[in-house]
Amino acid sequence: MSDETVLELIKALAYGYTAAEVAEVEGLTAEEAEAFAEAHAEDVAAKAAELAEAGWL
């Protein structure tokens, strides 16, 4: 998975997409998407805070 894809997945999760929705769009299994979300939970939270502060959420 490229760095760009990782950042896009983090952003999608930060915007509130579920792991299942991310899996469907990115061609991942549900298990892979859940594992990604768990492994990057801190990054997702930080991105969500950044987006909220900028007025995007």
Side-chain angles (χ1 to χ4, degrees):
M1 184 178 304
S2 72
D3 290 342
E4 183 177 348
T5 300
V6 169
L7 293 175
E8 288 299 317
L9 292 175
I10 289 170
K11 186 166 57 173
L13 292 166
Y15 270 115
Y17 287 91
T18 66
E21 291 169 325
V22 169
E24 184 177 329
V25 171
E26 291 296 326
L28 302 172
T29 66
E31 293 79 17
E32 289 171 329
E34 283 292 336
F36 180 92
E38 289 175 13
H40 292 87
E42 289 182 22
D43 296 325
V44 171
K47 182 54 119 176
E50 178 185 325
L51 292 169
E53 187 174 313
W56 291 100
L57 292 180

